[in-house]
Amino acid sequence: MTALVLDGAAIAREVLSELKPRVAVLERKRIRPGLATVLVGNNVASLAYVRNKVRACAEVGVHAEVHELDIDCGEAAIMAEVAALNSNRDIHGIIVQLPLPPGVDAQRVLQSVALEKDVDGFNWCNLGAIVDGHPRLVPCTPLGVITMLERTSVPLEGTHAVVIGRSSIVGKPMALLMISRGATVTVCNSKTPDLGSHTRSADILIAAAGRAKLVTADMVKAGAVVIDVGINRLPDGKLTGDVDYEAVRLKAGAISPVPGGVGRMTVAMLVANTVLAAERAAGVSP
Ligand code: NAD
């Protein structure tokens, strides 16, 4: 069996093109959704991520601006930038690009983003709303995974989903979103003994550990849907996921590639969250 490849790039393009008419409705009210990115320092990976986000915004007519701060500007300067954006009426979404430099309390900065502009969904209130089953702004990567599964008509209700990784921005919200859709969810972490004993019973396996080729073919049930969230850089500079793609695709029923999978969905969901935030600010229903 060769798995169906879940083409994140194609689904992301579909999501972005569906945003255009919503942006047009706002434009008629003289509102242009605006996303501001606070970028501290010049981390090469961060610069590439920010470029992708700006490009995706431009595609659908969302205004995007990048506020670049010096690597040693200090926490107070970052907080001041966020505070100014919180009260800027032309900005509907704010993201603080991670990682922040050592010595800066990243949580304090992230939690200072206004709740209604928190398009990364990292604010504790937005995360808590998912727990309660009433999401407001959902972190882009788990939202991207759910969107990818739903748009590929993968049934979630009644399935056993295994999530590898329990971070607050990927693993935990991912598990909660699956629970709310009726999946039975197992969440594994780096201390889980015998990872394969869990993954082998997964109908849907979501790998978000940040460990290259952690998931091998013997850890996957035949026909399972395998979603690879991981982004790892190999010594030769190439990007790879957490899944041994070439071997697992011969056993899985469906698989998302890296690159061209979840990463593209994440960016599309950020633009979608920004449009949603602008609609809410304008009192327009999506
Ligand atoms: P993190 O380091 O905060 O969390 C990793 C989690 O994986 C931890 O809970 C840890 O316990 C678990 N883990 C690590 N090794 C493990 C192992 N051997 N077995 C089982 N569990 C293990 O990372 P994160 O922010 O959650 O990101 C996870 C991965 O997803 C990274 O590779 C990151 O680059 C990638 N990521 C991708 C996107 C995207 O758009 N595709 C977005 C965010 C993160």
Side-chain angles (χ1 to χ4, degrees), residues 75 78-79 98 100-111 124:
E75 190 175 309
I78 305 172
M79 297 285 281
L98 297 175
L100 289 172
V104 174
D105 184 338
Q107 267 313 331
R108 191 153 47 209
V109 173
L110 293 176
Q111 299 309 317
W124 291 327

Side-chain angles (χ1 to χ4, degrees), residues 250-267:
L250 301 177
K251 194 168 183 193
I255 188 167
S256 73
V258 176
V262 174
R264 298 291 289 264
M265 293 302 301
T266 298
V267 175

Side-chain angles (χ1 to χ4, degrees), residues 188-270:
C188 302
N189 63 71
S190 58
K191 308 285 189 296
T192 302
D194 193 4
L195 186 60
S197 68
H198 300 280
T199 60
R200 272 188 287 278
S201 67
D203 302 306
I204 301 172
L205 176 59
I206 301 169
R211 299 281 178 273
K213 300 193 178 176
L214 173 68
V215 177
T216 49
D218 62 306
M219 294 167 70
V220 175
K221 179 163 89 176
V225 175
V226 180
I227 304 292
D228 194 350
V229 178
I231 302 177
N232 308 288
R233 200 165 284 282
L234 295 174
D236 65 3
K238 285 199 186 122
L239 283 187
T240 188
D242 287 356
V243 176
D244 182 359
Y245 183 80
E246 289 307 329
V248 172
R249 67 192 268 269
L250 301 177
K251 194 168 183 193
I255 188 167
S256 73
V258 176
V262 174
R264 298 291 289 264
M265 293 302 301
T266 298
V267 175
M269 296 338 288
L270 176 68

